[in-house]
Amino acid sequence: MATFDPRVTPARPDLAASHLRGKVAAARFADGVPQQVVSGQTPVRAAPSHGATQLTEALMGERVTIYETDEDGWAWGQLEADGYVGWMPAAALLAPGPKPTHKVAVPRTLMFPGPSIKLPPAEALPFGAAIAVVRSDEKFAVTASGGHIPAGHLVPIASAEPDFVAVAERFLGAPYLWGGKTSLGLDCSGLVQVSLTACGAICPRDSDMQEAALGEPVNLNALRRGDLVFWKGHVAIARDSATLIHANAHHMAVAIEPVTGAVTRIRAAGSDVTSVKRVG
């Protein structure tokens, strides 16, 4: 049997996707059921438990293929956008609804049950969450489910940001969170993925995947805005030749740091720069 990356391969010893039959060993195979994330954000975990490691997050509007739902309400499946596999709360998923028409373009917005900001919000939506707008109601965009979102916080789904570094800078000060992808917390590769995706680029989830798939190698001494600097298990974004922005556990936040300071600090912790990649 061939070897596959378990992070993006829907296969376990006891269960695998039907399209992997003959390619992986599993006790049984299943056809996937298409679902859509209906919560603002939902964790994708390594095991069916609220205490399990968060691998990544799925945002409202994302499509996912589910291969199993257990009796405790956990669904195991694969995200359509980046292929990541894991366990999600089944309560955050429903059969796919109308195709999203708009996405959130601010770090976080609120969805109200009616056309008034005095109503208790029904949901908080992160940057990049996708929704189907069916009509307008004064200053609100109304979703297919009846939610009211400030129209100024949305852009058409096909809109692309012009500068992914500027997108990353919007998250300055956001807390560091392993597997996070929102302003409530995100990790180094999550910051890169969210920022590049906003510009219409395809970006894998984890830093080693990003290092292998993105850009062309350049020298650290020739650093310019938008270059990605990689260490083992970490990635930072160059703001210019002298500074980086990255979500990191040293600051426990998205922080701006001098290139020389970051390289020296991380080297002292036992890791040297493994590559610098120029994207776009």
Side-chain angles (χ1 to χ4, degrees):
M1 295 289 181
T3 300
F4 295 92
D5 188 336
R7 296 172 293 181
V8 290
T9 307
R12 313 184 322 231
D14 63 320
L15 174 65
S18 293
H19 69 267
L20 294 173
R21 192 185 300 272
K23 300 178 182 178
V24 301
R28 62 188 178 92
F29 294 83
D31 294 330
V33 177
Q35 297 275 273
Q36 186 172 26
V37 178
V38 293
S39 294
Q41 65 195 79
T42 192
V44 179
R45 300 195 181 277
S49 166
H50 291 291
T53 299
Q54 178 172 274
L55 303 173
T56 187
E57 289 181 300
L59 309 184
M60 178 176 280
E62 284 198 64
R63 298 296 177 96
V64 57
T65 302
I66 297 299
Y67 295 98
E68 178 185 47
T69 301
D70 71 14
E71 59 185 13
D72 294 321
W74 288 92
W76 182 73
Q78 183 173 33
L79 300 179
E80 181 180 284
D82 61 17
Y84 226 97
V85 174
W87 293 90
M88 291 152 271
L93 306 171
L94 285 177
K99 190 174 181 180
T101 61
H102 290 74
K103 58 187 177 181
V104 176
V106 294
R108 186 161 294 270
T109 191
L110 297 174
M111 181 166 65
F112 299 91
S116 172
I117 60 172
K118 295 181 180 180
L119 293 172
E123 187 80 68
L125 306 181
F127 180 87
I131 48 92
V133 173
V134 295
R135 62 185 176 87
S136 296
D137 189 347
E138 298 180 358
K139 295 182 179 180
F140 293 92
V142 184
T143 71
S145 63
H148 286 61
I149 302 169
H153 291 177
L154 303 176
V155 294
I157 197 73
S159 296
E161 295 279 351
D163 179 1
F164 86 93
V165 183
V167 175
E169 290 170 338
R170 297 181 199 173
F171 290 90
L172 186 64
Y176 179 85
L177 175 66
W178 186 273
K181 289 177 57 175
T182 80
S183 62
L184 292 181
L186 68 177
D187 60 17
C188 65
S189 56
L191 179 65
V192 171
Q193 187 186 52
V194 167
S195 301
L196 281 173
T197 298
C199 296
I202 296 173
C203 181
R205 177 58 179 89
D206 291 345
S207 61
D208 63 320
M209 299 173 175
Q210 294 168 355
E211 185 173 20
L214 300 177
E216 298 296 328
V218 295
N219 194 291
L220 183 64
N221 294 328
L223 200 66
R224 73 184 189 195
R225 185 175 178 87
D227 289 346
L228 300 177
V229 182
F230 291 94
W231 295 260
K232 183 178 181 181
H234 188 60
V235 58
I237 303 167
R239 296 176 66 247
D240 49 41
S241 63
T243 60
L244 303 170
I245 183 168
H246 54 154
N248 67 92
H250 175 74
H251 296 95
M252 284 305 296
V254 176
I256 292 172
E257 190 172 7
V259 174
T260 53
V263 170
T264 300
R265 176 176 60 76
I266 297 173
R267 180 180 293 129
S271 182
D272 277 313
V273 171
T274 54
S275 71
V276 179
K277 298 298 238 4
R278 181 156 294 160
V279 296

